[in-house]
Amino acid sequence: MSSFFKKHIFKFICEKIMKHISKFLKHKNGRCSYACLEIESIESDEESIVWSDIPYVDFYKKEYGEYIDKGILYAYDKHIKNGGEKASFKIINLVETASDTDNGAVKCAAVSATWQALGHSEKEIEFIYNDIWDAVINSEL
């Protein structure tokens, strides 16, 4: 077996992959906000965010991609500042409703799913409302 092959097999076996599904559902001022997002975190020196080939992926990227990216990057930045390992991310699934899914809900679901896929607790996340839902991670630095 070549050393190139051994190196890649070893990397594949040792690679740390974690998934998490986060369902964000909050109600404020007579309005419901909902999003469900599944994210996979792969320990890797190559940092990236990619999407699985899910139904409506082009619509989701256009409609919510910016807010999903912001949520992932916010949680990842906190993770790195806390001494966490580098990772890349894959968006496995997104569930939304035409009436209840908004940018804040999608960002909150992304923060929560990413933070937990990186091995942290949702108890460290505070969801706050100021005209739109947002997430704040209260972890020790």
Side-chain angles (χ1 to χ4, degrees):
M1 188 181 306
S2 75
S3 62
F4 174 81
F5 185 70
K6 286 179 184 177
K7 178 182 171 185
H8 283 69
I9 291 293
F10 180 76
K11 182 180 177 191
F12 177 75
I13 291 170
C14 295
E15 202 171 59
K16 185 176 176 183
I17 300 172
M18 294 178 67
K19 289 183 187 179
H20 190 79
I21 298 172
S22 179
K23 295 178 183 175
F24 179 84
L25 177 61
K26 298 286 183 186
H27 186 270
K28 189 76 171 183
N29 298 335
R31 177 143 173 22
C32 184
S33 292
Y34 171 80
C36 179
L37 189 65
E38 181 177 9
I39 290 181
E40 180 178 83
S41 140
I42 304 126
E43 195 173 287
S44 169
D45 286 335
E46 298 176 23
E47 301 165 304
S48 65
I49 300 172
V50 297
W51 289 69
S52 293
D53 187 21
I54 57 177
Y56 311 110
V57 68
D58 292 330
F59 169 77
Y60 289 151
K61 283 181 185 179
K62 182 179 175 188
E63 190 74 16
Y64 305 116
E66 175 185 349
Y67 294 91
I68 290 172
D69 287 353
K70 283 180 181 180
I72 291 170
L73 294 173
Y74 171 72
Y76 182 56
D77 182 58
K78 287 286 197 175
H79 171 75
I80 292 297
K81 286 180 178 175
N82 280 302
E85 298 292 324
K86 289 185 176 181
S88 62
F89 302 93
K90 187 173 190 176
I91 298 155
I92 304 296
N93 197 19
L94 170 63
V95 178
E96 52 98 37
T97 65
S99 61
D100 297 326
T101 301
D102 57 34
N103 295 333
V106 171
K107 181 182 175 196
C108 288
V111 169
S112 180
T114 303
W115 190 243
Q116 292 177 84
L118 289 166
H120 304 283
S121 171
E122 188 178 37
K123 292 178 183 179
E124 297 171 309
I125 303 171
E126 180 182 356
F127 299 106
I128 56 172
Y129 185 82
N130 188 14
D131 295 329
I132 189 167
W133 284 102
D134 202 359
V136 177
I137 296 172
N138 298 307
S139 61
E140 295 297 319
L141 292 177

